[in-house]
Amino acid sequence: MTVDVVAAVAPVAALFGAAGFGAHGVLSGRSGRMARRTLLCLVSATTLALQSGTAAAQTPADSWPSRAITWVVPFGAGGVTDLISRKIAEQLRTRLGQPVVVENRPGAGGTIGTEFVARAQPDGYTVLYASGGPMTIQPNLGLTKLNYDPLKSFVHVRGVSSSNQVLVATASAPYSTLSEFVAYAKANPGKVNFGSPGPGTAQHLAGEMFQAATGIKLTHVPYKSGSSQMTDMMSGILDVSFDYLTVLRPLIDTGKVKVLGTTGTARMSALPDAPTVLEAGYAGAVNAGSTWVSVPAGADPKIVGKLSEAMAAVLADPAIVADLATNGQVSIAEKGPAEMVPFIIGETARTKRVIDSAGIAAQ
């Protein structure tokens, strides 16, 4: 008998004792046995009632996760965002003890998959591998059909990674360093082109920031897919491109493009010989894309806490840390739920300045 049960039946037991139903009471024999039987029934009924009340006090958040989690990546399979997210999802499965099923929902610069999660039930079983494109860039492009609010529609659980971009040139380009490239572009205004996966993408913004910081004029060539862009880079149709190391690594390793520099404040461990734009004196060209994990607004704080702790453990795993470094990324796992909102606000303001200055509009 638990303390709660004892407390619940004590007054009734005392009443029975006062009425003479105890071992030395006035009534005995058959009447005493009936009284004790009644008391035992009362104890059993009270115990069941208390157990039922305890069960009722349990919430779905207490047993989360009790089934598979859908891990939504708002970009296509095999891309820079998808590759690392799958490794994190696998580690998360081990930590949480439930399947974490990766579901790619690409389209509209990542907004389709992001909106899908915003509309999902806030039960912790639909998780977004979020990124700056649909969260901090697209909202500044004047899209009237953006059916989610980056701050109000989500609870942002924990930061994952920050990635500087790499500026590469065709192998035959007459420049091999950032300073040589800037000097060439100044001598040939508008004649040097750069590619991106489309207007308003992170790669496009990197190019615009570089132009503004260096005082050069490049011609932007937007593509509908990164693969087409890289094909033209290799063939020499494009002069330069900004992109992430995960995408560019095969071209760099095979000598099909050459690295001019990176958009970071510190050199990438994966490209230790590549200087940064900050080293070259172009502080205004510093640029990085970020990823994090989010769930629909309204999620129980207990679920958010559990997921946040699990993500922190996953991102501290040496294998994940090494994989991030190999792909030119650094962990931002120190940004928990309290830090993510001001981080997103700051990133949104930064991209808005670039978009407004360059006159970029959604197409």
Side-chain angles (χ1 to χ4, degrees):
M1 187 183 300
T2 66
V3 174
D4 287 340
V5 174
V6 171
V9 303
V12 182
L15 181 61
F16 272 95
F21 292 119
H24 303 289
V26 176
L27 298 179
S28 60
R30 182 178 181 184
S31 297
R33 287 193 296 276
M34 289 180 63
R36 285 192 292 276
R37 193 175 296 118
T38 301
L39 179 59
L40 288 174
C41 289
L42 177 61
V43 170
S44 297
T46 305
T47 300
L48 289 173
L50 287 172
Q51 290 175 340
S52 176
T54 301
Q58 294 286 322
T59 67
D62 294 315
S63 58
W64 183 92
S66 59
R67 55 185 173 86
I69 294 169
T70 299
W71 178 268
V72 177
V73 178
F75 298 97
V80 58
T81 305
D82 178 68
L83 294 174
I84 186 63
S85 74
R86 288 180 178 272
K87 296 180 180 181
I88 293 173
E90 178 59 26
Q91 289 268 11
L92 200 60
R93 177 195 66 79
T94 302
R95 295 281 176 180
L96 296 176
Q98 292 291 342
V100 179
V101 182
V102 177
E103 184 174 305
N104 295 93
R105 285 183 170 267
T111 61
I112 290 176
T114 301
E115 181 181 335
F116 173 80
V117 175
R119 294 179 175 225
Q121 290 296 316
D123 54 12
Y125 291 99
T126 305
V127 177
L128 174 68
Y129 189 70
S131 64
M135 288 288 191
T136 66
I137 296 177
Q138 295 293 341
N140 288 320
L141 290 175
L143 291 175
T144 58
K145 295 182 179 179
L146 197 63
N147 296 315
Y148 59 86
D149 185 294
L151 297 178
K152 297 179 181 179
S153 302
F154 303 92
V155 176
H156 301 294
V157 178
R158 186 162 293 278
V160 175
S161 69
S162 177
S163 308
N164 299 130
Q165 293 187 47
V166 183
L167 173 58
V168 295
T170 56
S172 60
Y175 36 79
S176 299
T177 67
L178 287 173
S179 59
E180 289 176 357
F181 170 61
V182 170
Y184 183 89
K186 284 185 176 180
N188 298 275
K191 295 181 181 180
V192 179
N193 59 40
F194 79 100
S196 82
T201 58
Q203 294 89 329
H204 180 198
L205 264 60
E208 295 294 348
M209 292 177 70
F210 190 83
Q211 291 182 80
T214 58
I216 62 175
K217 177 59 179 176
L218 305 176
T219 298
H220 177 224
V221 182
Y223 287 78
K224 291 185 177 180
S225 72
S227 59
S228 298
Q229 175 190 345
M230 290 304 117
T231 298
D232 282 359
M233 273 294 301
M234 290 184 289
S235 64
I237 295 174
L238 278 179
D239 297 311
V240 297
S241 282
F242 293 83
D243 218 319
Y244 298 101
L245 183 58
T246 305
V247 175
L248 296 171
R249 176 60 89 179
L251 305 184
I252 295 171
D253 290 346
T254 56
K256 293 177 180 177
V257 299
K258 56 185 175 182
V259 176
L260 301 182
T262 71
T263 63
T265 57
R267 294 196 180 198
M268 288 184 184
S269 59
L271 292 175
D273 295 330
T276 69
V277 290
L278 189 61
E279 288 178 67
Y282 311 126
V286 171
N287 181 43
S290 302
T291 61
W292 59 91
V293 170
S294 305
V295 292
D300 192 298
K302 289 182 180 179
I303 293 175
V304 174
K306 288 181 181 180
L307 180 57
S308 181
E309 290 178 5
M311 282 299 304
V314 166
L315 293 169
D317 186 277
I320 294 295
V321 173
D323 197 70
L324 287 174
T326 298
N327 289 288
Q329 299 170 300
V330 295
S331 171
I332 56 170
E334 74 279 1
K335 299 183 188 302
E339 293 80 20
M340 282 308 304
V341 169
F343 173 75
I344 293 170
I345 291 174
E347 286 294 286
T348 302
R350 181 179 67 84
T351 60
K352 180 175 174 54
R353 288 193 296 271
V354 179
I355 289 168
D356 290 348
S357 176
I360 302 170
Q363 295 183 12

